[in-house]
Amino acid sequence: MKRKEGFLLRQFGDDYIVVAVGDDAENFNKLITLNGVGAFIYNFIVEEKSRDEVVAALTEHYEVERSLAESDVAAFEARLSAAGLIDD
Amino acid sequence: MIFNYKIADIVFSADIIYKSTYERMKDYLAPEGEKPEFGFKITDADIAEERRLSPYDFPDNVYEHTAVYRKYIYEIMEKYDAFFFHCSAIAVDGEAIMFTARSGTGKSTHRNLWMKNFGDRVTVINDDKPVIRRIDGKFYVYGTPWQGKEGLGCNIRVPAKALCFLSRAEENSIGPIDTISVVAKLMNQTVRPSDPWLMSNLLDLLDGFVRQVDCYDLRVNMNDDAAIVAYNGIKGK
């Protein structure tokens, strides 16, 4: 997973918002809101970690089953991809 | 011709073409001797751009007025702790209450109910495009010459008290709204800078705004007591 350049992640209370900046801003009408888990995953994507690394971190940090973490990450990736936040 | 204006306590010069623009903005002429902090000139290209962005087909002089707005708002968002979003802002007993909604929801109708119920206690600050500024850590709502269809508003500054996200319902109710929804909605109604620093400043500003200003989910019908329910929710806090 590779995050596209030009997005800002910002915390508001318990939640987060991701907005486009730079050249992407013109084409990026939506903004994405994330909860804590979403932001946790997103930060790993920012660091260009592999899907396995994200799943491992999630399993450890949130003490969830690997299968659940895998399906969560896959669903989250699909959402980010649909929103144009990441390149596959 | 070049005129100096003072809007939201910011003095600037605008070189405009049409007398109608002068007339629309004359309540905001800067006092003699106050120096502009920036300036711009409206060109035919600016007017053509406004026309391109508009769903209507107005005469050029109407588009000059919105062109001045666009240039002004970009400048102040860049240089000051200022932003805007579409709303109707009223002052009630000296505190600003803002109503925002999708167009067609009935912002003006609801604002009218406040005027009807509370009479002289209510002043319309601006019915369409007020400017919000943070000065010494406090948020203020300012009147501007861009006042919407009914042309209501005046040249005043009022401390920000509450922001209501208005929607229509059978029964009147007012309740809390979560911060992230407020920020997302406001971001969708303002100019989003593409420059990362400016965007970061805007997010900082919104963060301060949602901490200081009480935000509500306000559901109303068009009966008189809609304003009473809203008032009690806001002032009873």
Side-chain angles (χ1 to χ4, degrees):
Chain A
M1 285 182 279
K2 189 174 185 321
R3 182 190 66 139
K4 285 189 184 171
E5 289 304 312
F7 290 91
L8 280 182
L9 173 77
R10 178 61 185 258
Q11 185 168 9
F12 287 91
D14 295 332
D15 298 303
Y16 297 79
I17 210 159
V18 180
V19 285
V21 288
D23 297 339
D24 268 335
E26 294 269 318
N27 306 314
F28 185 75
N29 295 318
K30 281 197 282 185
L31 53 87
I32 307 295
T33 59
L34 302 173
N35 62 14
V37 182
F40 181 87
I41 300 175
Y42 186 79
N43 277 324
F44 273 84
I45 296 172
V46 171
E47 291 169 22
E48 297 188 17
K49 303 286 187 195
S50 70
R51 187 178 302 175
D52 279 348
E53 285 173 294
V54 177
V55 169
L58 207 55
T59 314
E60 189 180 329
H61 190 85
Y62 288 96
E63 295 180 354
V64 292
E65 295 289 330
R66 187 176 169 81
S67 59
L68 181 64
E70 278 173 349
S71 65
D72 278 357
V73 170
F76 187 71
E77 267 184 63
R79 197 179 148 218
L80 292 187
S81 184
L85 286 166
I86 54 170
D87 290 322
D88 295 326
Chain B
M1 283 183 75
I2 300 174
F3 297 97
N4 287 348
Y5 292 102
K6 186 177 189 175
I7 300 174
D9 284 331
I10 297 163
V11 180
F12 65 97
S13 71
D15 190 345
I16 58 174
I17 303 163
Y18 294 100
K19 187 162 187 287
S20 63
T21 304
Y22 170 81
E23 289 293 328
R24 286 190 175 98
M25 298 186 58
K26 66 183 177 190
D27 288 347
Y28 291 83
L29 286 166
E32 282 291 318
E34 292 198 18
K35 288 221 159 39
E37 295 168 53
F38 59 88
F40 52 78
K41 178 181 171 61
I42 301 298
T43 63
D44 290 340
D46 296 322
I47 290 169
E49 175 65 5
E50 292 301 316
R51 178 176 295 285
R52 191 182 71 79
L53 293 168
S54 166
Y56 307 106
D57 182 21
F58 292 130
D60 282 352
N61 65 344
V62 173
Y63 290 122
E64 182 175 64
H65 189 50
T66 57
V68 174
Y69 176 72
R70 199 174 303 276
K71 286 185 183 269
Y72 165 77
I73 210 81
Y74 276 106
E75 287 278 350
I76 68 164
M77 284 183 73
E78 191 175 326
K79 294 177 177 148
Y80 305 85
D81 273 353
F83 70 108
F84 86 102
F85 55 91
H86 292 285
C87 69
S88 178
I90 58 174
V92 184
D93 304 335
E95 294 182 307
I97 302 175
M98 294 158 271
F99 303 100
T100 185
R102 287 207 187 110
S103 75
T105 305
K107 277 197 302 269
S108 300
T109 309
H110 185 71
R111 184 254 304 140
N112 256 328
L113 293 178
W114 281 72
M115 295 170 81
K116 195 173 154 190
N117 271 282
F118 301 109
D120 288 350
R121 291 170 61 194
V122 173
T123 306
V124 180
I125 303 168
N126 183 280
D127 210 27
D128 191 39
K129 296 185 182 82
V131 162
I132 320 292
R133 277 190 77 184
R134 180 168 60 188
I135 298 167
D136 295 332
K138 287 200 68 177
F139 283 87
Y140 296 90
V141 183
Y142 281 92
T144 73
W146 300 280
Q147 297 180 330
K149 281 194 285 262
E150 294 176 48
L152 290 176
C154 54
N155 190 354
I156 53 172
R157 162 182 117 151
V158 183
K161 162 80 174 163
L163 166 62
C164 299
F165 291 88
L166 198 70
S167 60
R168 294 280 280 272
E170 291 281 312
E171 296 289 319
N172 296 312
S173 69
I174 183 165
I177 180 167
D178 60 296
T179 298
I180 201 74
S181 303
V182 173
V183 174
K185 284 167 191 273
L186 293 182
M187 288 288 288
N188 282 329
Q189 288 199 37
T190 191
V191 176
R192 284 196 223 156
S194 58
D195 178 84
W197 293 105
L198 294 182
M199 176 60 92
S200 187
N201 282 346
L202 175 61
L203 292 170
D204 280 344
L205 204 55
L206 290 177
D207 186 40
F209 183 81
V210 295
R211 285 169 196 270
Q212 196 173 111
V213 177
D214 305 326
C215 297
Y216 298 98
D217 178 10
L218 175 60
R219 299 170 189 217
V220 292
N221 56 36
M222 295 297 143
N223 301 332
D224 281 4
D225 64 335
I228 308 284
V229 169
Y231 177 91
N232 289 340
I234 293 164
K235 294 281 186 171
K237 205 176 134 73

